[in-house]
């Protein structure tokens, strides 16, 4: 149906990723004793000698080599893995722990960290986000991101996918220094950069994606229009990325040393935007987070850096990244569902989802419903005990299963299918809240959320003396699900305890059941190389594409100004004007879950005012956090003496949001802010304050008057605990809005009661 043709946007086997990342975080670093003679890759941070100037990359490389032992490795591999030019001041090399210890005494040595693996963390979203409206839409205004180069550091790219065709694309800008030089890889005017990093740059290997994750991410950010995009026939339409005319540069990397190599190359190549959907759940301080350091370098080069904040929600303090120079992105669910409704024998209908929508399944026939877990073991509940399944004889029946255990949902379905089951009802875990997921199953399936699953269990338990029955009704792609958007339960939450109270995530964007280009046809019998995937991995490239549109419109804006535009134009309300709901609790989402709120691209293009920042302020801020000189040096890659810089408190970093911890000893905080007028030359803004519960907000100015563009005005915000103090709430959110006759410039206020 024409009216149901929608622009589709482009996500990973969420559960697999989540499980993997949880397992990996608990892996131990090598045990030093046993491995004393075994070499591995280390990232070494060094400080340039006072007054030294390196003429070229070769000079730099020989200085880096001067730190290395002269003895060759038994394996014959080269010692030096990377000589970084931009991403950090330092190099990566193969060394034994003893050799690293010897190096510590050398002049200029700052720190060494063993290399670690990182983990990888749309037919519809451009329309959902309002990009594709005909004449006056954001795409039109920003020329679809034309001329902007998005660098994607991830698992690579599946070559020659229709999302990466170059129809309608101009050649790369002349300033571009990168290259895509692999036959058969689909290098064209869309894919203009391609490089693979694995224990060193691999000049002869294209960055081929063996996972699908990187392909998906790249297509969300900058995929071209591709018709007939669907998964197993669902959600069909024209797929495109957020910035369909932007160019893409693909950097394949998986360990920290490789990611730094990729960032180094991307900076040298001249990308305009850099997006990373990989990482590891981490509470590392900035100077210990190699990726944060590399991205600080990118931002200093004028390249906005976008990061997925992680899928470890709804746990508190589960963020992957904390740095103020990064745009940290959480995930929302849109109003699209790939419907598979469960109908029980008692007539109750329950909404679920599945990407596989079999047309031959006769939903008017109620089938016997069996629950292997009825007598209670975890394995039985998850349909993993073969003995129970055999005993039950699932042939021709619908089987009720909990997700989880040592099996993916799709594999679980496949086993039941092979045992002759007619269908499966999958019940999500409690921590996923209201979220449901459309997966490429091989048999009729409905994925329902935990609460709805309980209703089905109750029905089964209630049928003591007769057979429970059910069927699944496949209703295809439906829009208009409410409430929408909502915060995905898996999206990582703040507050961050290591950045001085700066609110993270910054923003949320679609990240549930996102249709995107994929490596191989997922599932069975599907020919379209697209897949649904969910995660903050999918949310980050949405923002990257929107940043590309902003770059097209405002090529001279700093990364901080672009971040500000995206944040102050976002909304904390859903499509119906109610507070955005958290899928976990079904209550209004916490400010530490949604940050500034849901992205509104069209509003970001013209924000009125921006909170801008000179990158030197990040050094002042790091010194203000109390880091040692050496720790700051590592992070900002140059010589720093904190006793001579103008230290600033985190509250005085000119950030577009306001965040702080208050308690019985610290009962108030002051924030200095400077706004720059980028809207109308003559304009007046009045303040509207929504106080966080239990907190009083006072401003030094309640009206800001501007007479010209680029004029700046300074004001202060004072937060203080009210008397009596708020009861047992752990945090509260509010906002400061500057309102003119044309613009509303909103900063969220987040208070963590410690
Ligand atoms: C490590 O190397 C030293 C000297 O090269 C040698 O004496 C020692 O036996 C080695 N240890 C192991 C565990 O291989
Ligand atoms: C575009 O036009 C539509 C319909 O006239 C209007 O509702 C919408 O607000 C406009 N959008 C912008 C960004 O001007
Ligand atoms: C492309 O690759 C070929 C063969 O590997 C090499 O000769 C050529 O110099 C490369 N070109 C660029 C621009 O890197
Ligand atoms: C899209 O699918 C339709 C129906 O399957 C087919 O007729 C058409 O040729 C396809 N278009 C493209 C561009 O593949
Ligand atoms: C579905 O089953 C009903 C009841 O048995 C039957 O009347 C109907 O014809 C079937 N529909 C199809 C499409 O097979
Ligand atoms: C559960 O227990 C009852 C009573 O012991 C038994 O009849 C039934 O077969 C059991 N069901 C399963 C699925 O094990
Ligand atoms: C940032 O500040 C430094 C020191 O005040 C100044 O030298 C530099 O030009 C500024 N950079 C920008 C982009 O304004
Ligand atoms: C840092 O600056 C202070 C004040 O100028 C000076 O006393 C101190 O020696 C400097 N530290 C270093 C390591 O240079
Ligand atoms: C209040 O917070 C500060 C900084 O976070 C902390 O050092 C202090 O111990 C806290 N005081 C109380 C009473 O919890
Ligand atoms: C905040 O500013 C006010 C007024 O300038 C001052 O009285 C107060 O002490 C300051 N509070 C803090 C916590 O710095």
């Amino acid at each position: 149906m024409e009216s149901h043709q929608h622009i589709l946007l482009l996500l990973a086997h969420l559960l697999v990723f989540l499980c993997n990342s949880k397992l990996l975080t608990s892996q131990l670093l090598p045990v030093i004793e046993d491995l004393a003679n075994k070499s591995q890759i280390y990232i070494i941070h060094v400080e340039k000698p006072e007054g030294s100037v390196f003429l070229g990359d070769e000079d730099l490389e020989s200085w880096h080599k001067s730190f290395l032992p002269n003895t060759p490795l038994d394996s014959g591999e080269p010692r030096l893995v990377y000589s970084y030019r931009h991403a950090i001041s330092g190099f990566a090399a193969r060394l034994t722990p003893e050799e690293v210890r010897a190096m510590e005494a050398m002049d200029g040595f700052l720190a060494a960290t063993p290399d670690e693996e990182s983990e990888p963390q749309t037919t519809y979203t451009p329309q959902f986000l309002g990009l594709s409206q005909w004449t006056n839409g954001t795409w039109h205004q920003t020329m679809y991101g034309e001329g902007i180069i998005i660098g994607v550091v991830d698992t690579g790219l599946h070559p020659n996918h229709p999302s990466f065709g170059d129809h309608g694309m101009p050649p790369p800008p002349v300033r571009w220094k990168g290259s895509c030089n692999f036959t058969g890889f689909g290098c064209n005017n869309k894919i203009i950069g391609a490089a693979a990093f694995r224990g060193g740059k691999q000049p002869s290997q294209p960055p081929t994606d063996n996972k699908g994750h990187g392909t998906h991410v790249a297509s969300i950010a900058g995929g071209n229009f591709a018709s007939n995009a669907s998964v197993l026939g669902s959600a069909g339409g024209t797929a495109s990325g957020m910035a369909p005319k932007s160019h893409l540069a693909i950097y394949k990397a998986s360990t920290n040393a490789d990611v730094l190599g990729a960032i180094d190359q991307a900076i040298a190549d001249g990308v305009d935007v850099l997006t990373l959907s990989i990482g590891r759940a981490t509470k590392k301080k900035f100077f210990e987070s190699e990726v944060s350091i590399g991205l600080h370098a990118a931002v200093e080069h004028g390249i906005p850096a976008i990061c997925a904040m992680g899928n470890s929600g709804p746990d508190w303090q589960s963020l992957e990244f904390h740095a103020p120079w990064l745009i940290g992105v959480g995930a929302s669910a849109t109003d699209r569902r790939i419907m598979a409704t469960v109908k029980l024998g008692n007539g109750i209908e329950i909404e679920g989802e599945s990407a596989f929508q079999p047309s031959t399944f006769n939903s008017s026939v109620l089938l016997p419903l069996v629950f292997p877990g009825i007598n209670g073991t975890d394995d039985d509940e998850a349909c993993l005990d073969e003995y129970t399944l055999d005993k039950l004889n699932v042939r021709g029946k619908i089987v009720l299963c909990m997700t989880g255990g040592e099996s993916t949902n799709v594999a679980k379905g496949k086993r039941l299918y092979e045992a002759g089951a007619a269908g499966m009802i999958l019940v999500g875990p409690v921590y996923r809240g209201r979220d449901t997921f459309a997966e490429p199953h091989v048999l009729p399936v409905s994925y329902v959320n935990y609460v709805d699953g309980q209703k089905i269990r109750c029905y089964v338990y209630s049928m003591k003396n007769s057979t429970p029955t059910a069927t699944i009704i496949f209703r295809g792609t439906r829009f208009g699900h409410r409430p929408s958007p909502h915060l995905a339960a898996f999206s990582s939450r703040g507050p961050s305890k290591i950045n001085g109270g700066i609110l993270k995530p910054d923003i949320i964007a679609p990240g549930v059941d996102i249709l995107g280009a994929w490596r191989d046809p997922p599932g069975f019998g599907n020919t379209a190389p697209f897949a649904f995937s969910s995660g903050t991995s999918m949310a980050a490239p949405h923002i990257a594409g929107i940043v590309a549109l902003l770059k097209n419109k405002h090529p001279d804006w700093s990364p901080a100004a672009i971040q500000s535009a995206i944040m102050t134009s976002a909304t904390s309300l859903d499509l119906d004007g109610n507070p955005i709901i958290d899928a976990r609790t079904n209550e209004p989402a916490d400010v530490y879950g949604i940050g500034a709120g849901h992205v509104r691209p069209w509003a970001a293009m013209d924000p009125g005012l921006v909170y801008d920042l000179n990158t030197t302020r990040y050094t002042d801020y790091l010194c203000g956090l109390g880091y040692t000189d050496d720790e700051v040096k590592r992070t900002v890659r140059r010589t720093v003496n904190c006793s001579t810089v103008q230290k600033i408190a985190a509250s005085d970093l000119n950030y577009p949001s306001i965040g702080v911890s208050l308690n019985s000893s610290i009962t108030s905080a002051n924030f200095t802010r400077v706004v720059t007028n980028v809207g109308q030359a003559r304009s007046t803004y009045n303040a509207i304050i929504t106080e966080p519960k239990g907190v009083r907000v006072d401003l030094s100015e309640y009206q800001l008057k501007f007479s010209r563009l680029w004029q700046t005005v300074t004001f202060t915000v004072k937060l203080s605990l009210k008397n009596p103090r708020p009861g047992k709430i752990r945090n509260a959110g509010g906002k400061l809005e500057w309102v003119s006759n044309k613009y509303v410039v909103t900063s969220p206020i987040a208070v963590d009661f410690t």
Side-chain angles (χ1 to χ4, degrees), residues 464-489:
K464 282 257 174 319
N465 301 315
S466 52
T467 311
T469 56
T471 187
I472 302 171
I473 306 162
F474 294 96
R475 301 200 147 119
T477 307
R478 292 288 174 97
F479 298 87
H481 184 90
R482 290 293 190 274
S484 171
H486 71 234
L487 176 64

Side-chain angles (χ1 to χ4, degrees), residues 733-751:
K735 60 189 172 183
L736 164 62
E737 293 167 289
W738 289 111
V739 182
S740 77
N741 59 7
K742 181 168 179 202
Y743 301 102
V744 180
V745 184
T746 309
S747 289
I749 302 174
V751 182

Side-chain angles (χ1 to χ4, degrees), residues 59-70 80 83 91:
D59 270 11
L60 188 66
E61 188 171 319
S62 33
W63 176 53
H64 288 155
K65 278 186 173 157
S66 72
F67 285 87
L68 298 175
N70 290 322
L80 188 68
S83 169
F91 55 92

Side-chain angles (χ1 to χ4, degrees), residues 234-235 333-342 350-357 424-426 434-441 443-449 472-478 481 486 512-514 532 534:
S234 298
T334 68
D335 68 338
R336 182 181 70 192
R337 297 290 182 278
I338 318 300
M339 300 268 298
T341 306
V342 174
I350 287 166
E351 274 187 23
E353 284 195 275
S354 172
F356 177 52
Q357 298 267 319
M424 168 169 77
I425 299 171
L426 263 173
R434 290 165 61 101
D435 287 329
T436 55
F437 300 92
E439 297 169 310
H441 294 286
L443 80 171
V445 170
S446 174
Y447 184 122
V448 304
N449 71 36
I472 302 171
I473 306 162
F474 294 96
R475 301 200 147 119
T477 307
R478 292 288 174 97
H481 184 90
H486 71 234
V512 178
D513 284 347
I514 304 299
F532 291 111
S534 300

